[in-house]
Amino acid sequence: MSPENKVLLPEKELPEAWFNIIPRLPEPPAPPLDPRTGRPVNPEDLLRIFPRALMEQEMSQEPWIEIPEEVRRVYRLWRPTPLRRARALEEALKTPARIYYKDESVSPPGSHKPNTAVAQAYYNKKEGIRRLATETGAGQWGSALSLACRLFDLECTVYMVRVSYEQKPYRRTLMHLWGAQVFPSPTERTEAGRRIRAENPETPGSLGIAISEAVEDAATHEDTNYALGSVLNHVLLHQTVIGLETQKQLALLEEKPDILIACVGGGSNFGGFTFPFIGEILEGRLSAEVIAVEPASCPTLTKGVYTYDYGDTAGLTPLLLMYTLGHTFEPPGIHAGGLRYHGDAPLVCQLVKAGIVKPRAYPQTACFEAAVLFARTEGIIPAPETSHAIRAAVDEALRCRETGEERVIVFNFSGHGHFDLAAYEAYLEGRLEDYEYPEEKIREALRHLPKFPTGI
């Protein structure tokens, strides 16, 4: 076993192709449905807001999809990212477990999000699009797309969930620095935003609402497309550079993971980190637990219903088969803004339904407790979203302390928390609250699920 604290790959080891899990699944994914007919969506209908190349990737059965050299050139600004051994955390926990984390915080915006933002900007630019519209929760996706649009000379419009817009002003500054327009959602700029504001002027907003606004913006402007930071197949595909690099790094250490952990909001960092390993699990070449961690106040995978639902609040998107809390559900204003989504990526949900992925939910104070421990031992301040994965990794390491097992725990450090210091201040001063699981609000939202025969 290597004594090294981090494993760095040379740039020549940067993956040349993305890993597509779809052809490796035991069953094909359920298709998106047209809410008007209940039938599978015609891919041509989506070309109003997406470039053709991305729609081809969305449905592709190819096991590997080549990464264009223009995208790899930008990736090289920060990739490959380090795999780090959390030795100080291990010592603090007095655990025999070996804890590793893939450090995605080293990208310019500080998270994993540019892995797909760069690819999406590239394909849209190639097809002559002038502007991209998108949503963002905590601002990590919005800042990543702002950077990508700047690098490919595209304009960028970001609809930022209102509560996060107010909680994270420096994320807004980062997006403005890279030239994006940023608006607190819901806004008066779209029909969806105006309607939601009229119904609830005090709404904190949600990712579902912000998606509605961005989709409407794209659909009503010929020179504009929509870019999504999570959920869809092509987004998770682009993120697999994370898991592919991690596999190489663990091989250099002659280690195999026993437990793989990542946080889940829409599913992009989780899918990107775990899918290459899940491919090995499905082929019988690896035996490992795969844990998806979400907030207890927005427990999509742990308490949601597995059915077809809209990906947005206004019902502008196709219907996706996923675990959902109902597309009209507005989660409480927790600081992990990137995890405040009513649904999850259909591919991740399919793996949860099949029992391959185990979901787990934590309240935010327990996650901040683990994040503070991590910051005080390893030195890096985690994003509130990332703190969920750290909480699970700490609990698994403590379990190993009780059993004496020397298990290998690997988690994805999806982003840093340098723009979340107000949340840490609230935690350290005892002002951070745990929100109750809002059963009544979820029951109400589930009453608005689409009602037609879907065969589920």
Side-chain angles (χ1 to χ4, degrees):
M1 184 177 61
S2 171
E4 295 179 2
N5 288 319
K6 61 181 177 297
V7 180
L8 302 173
L9 295 174
E11 287 185 8
K12 66 180 181 181
E13 292 295 329
L14 183 69
E16 296 181 355
W18 292 301
F19 175 89
N20 187 8
I21 199 170
I22 291 175
R24 295 156 166 105
L25 293 172
E27 296 180 5
L33 300 182
D34 186 323
R36 298 164 298 182
T37 65
R39 295 178 180 175
V41 167
N42 181 348
E44 294 295 318
D45 294 339
L46 299 176
L47 296 180
R48 290 177 60 202
I49 59 172
F50 290 112
R52 183 175 296 276
L54 292 183
M55 287 302 92
E56 290 173 352
Q57 291 178 5
E58 185 73 15
M59 317 272 180
S60 177
Q61 292 294 320
E62 293 296 319
W64 297 93
I65 295 176
E66 183 180 356
I67 304 175
E69 179 52 34
E70 294 91 334
V71 173
R72 296 179 80 240
R73 175 181 55 79
V74 178
Y75 278 177
R76 291 189 192 100
L77 291 175
W78 73 94
R79 303 210 71 88
T81 62
L83 179 71
R84 302 186 190 273
R85 173 85 179 268
R87 292 185 187 274
L89 178 62
E90 294 170 12
E91 292 172 8
L93 296 173
K94 298 180 172 60
T95 179
R98 297 191 293 280
I99 305 173
Y100 296 92
Y101 60 99
K102 182 65 165 165
D103 187 3
E104 290 295 298
S105 75
V106 299
S107 75
S111 79
H112 67 290
K113 291 292 187 179
N115 297 329
T116 185
V118 169
Q120 291 188 50
Y122 164 76
Y123 287 115
N124 276 285
K125 179 68 175 181
K126 194 174 179 182
E127 294 192 19
I129 292 299
R130 184 186 66 83
R131 180 172 69 99
L132 291 179
T134 196
E135 76 293 327
T136 196
Q140 290 182 337
W141 167 242
S143 56
L145 191 68
S146 300
L147 170 65
C149 285
R150 174 56 50 194
L151 294 175
F152 286 99
D153 195 26
L154 295 169
E155 293 184 18
C156 184
T157 302
V158 181
Y159 295 87
M160 188 173 185
V161 175
R162 180 174 296 275
V163 65
S164 292
Y165 184 94
E166 294 166 354
Q167 287 175 343
K168 305 175 193 296
Y170 297 115
R171 279 282 173 198
R172 300 198 317 255
T173 302
L174 196 58
M175 291 181 255
H176 288 146
L177 185 63
W178 283 320
Q181 287 186 301
V182 189
F183 301 98
S185 173
T187 73
E188 294 290 332
R189 291 169 53 85
T190 66
E191 184 178 331
R194 291 189 292 272
R195 178 175 59 76
I196 291 164
R197 283 168 64 94
E199 292 172 357
N200 180 12
E202 302 303 316
T203 177
S206 71
L207 278 170
I209 294 170
I211 291 171
S212 294
E213 293 207 88
V215 169
E216 181 182 325
D217 187 339
T220 53
H221 295 86
E222 287 190 8
D223 63 352
T224 303
N225 267 353
Y226 171 62
L228 184 63
S230 194
V231 178
L232 294 183
N233 299 348
H234 68 268
V235 181
L236 277 64
L237 172 81
H238 301 154
Q239 293 292 355
T240 59
V241 293
I242 304 172
L244 293 169
E245 288 179 7
T246 307
Q247 285 178 321
K248 289 183 178 181
Q249 288 161 319
L250 287 173
L252 289 172
L253 295 172
E254 299 182 345
E255 292 273 40
K256 281 201 169 187
D258 295 303
I259 303 171
L260 294 155
I261 302 170
C263 64
V264 179
S268 68
N269 98 88
F270 177 85
F273 175 62
T274 64
F275 279 6
F277 292 100
I278 290 174
E280 291 186 325
I281 292 171
L282 293 172
E283 293 168 0
R285 296 188 289 116
L286 177 67
S287 176
E289 295 179 51
V290 185
I291 301 173
V293 194
E294 63 184 7
S297 60
C298 191
T300 309
L301 295 174
T302 49
K303 295 193 176 181
V305 176
Y306 191 60
T307 188
Y308 272 99
D309 196 10
Y310 293 102
D312 71 310
T313 300
L316 301 179
T317 67
L319 301 174
L320 304 174
L321 180 58
M322 59 184 176
Y323 285 97
T324 178
L325 300 172
H327 61 279
T328 60
F329 173 62
E330 292 185 13
I334 60 171
H335 283 275
L339 306 187
R340 299 175 65 251
Y341 184 56
H342 68 274
D344 270 299
L347 289 176
V348 173
C349 293
Q350 183 176 346
L351 291 165
V352 170
K353 185 71 173 175
I356 297 165
V357 171
K358 307 295 183 185
R360 186 180 298 182
Y362 287 109
Q364 69 173 349
T365 55
C367 295
F368 271 86
E369 178 188 43
V372 169
L373 174 62
F374 188 89
R376 289 176 176 176
T377 52
E378 296 299 315
I380 307 176
I381 301 170
E385 294 80 6
T386 309
S387 72
H388 290 68
I390 296 171
R391 176 74 264 174
V394 166
D395 284 357
E396 291 302 316
L398 292 173
R399 189 170 289 114
C400 289
R401 186 176 72 186
E402 297 300 316
T403 63
E405 295 175 279
E406 295 185 17
R407 308 191 78 190
V408 176
I409 301 168
V410 190
F411 71 90
N412 193 31
F413 191 93
S414 55
H416 67 61
H418 297 172
F419 298 96
D420 302 286
L421 295 182
Y424 279 97
E425 182 180 36
Y427 172 77
L428 294 171
E429 294 179 354
R431 294 185 286 108
L432 199 69
E433 299 178 5
D434 280 334
Y435 292 91
E436 293 292 326
Y437 167 57
E439 294 194 38
E440 284 300 321
K441 286 187 176 182
I442 292 174
R443 276 201 294 269
E444 173 61 27
L446 290 175
R447 282 197 279 270
H448 296 283
L449 287 171
K451 293 178 174 63
F452 60 87
T454 63
I456 301 301

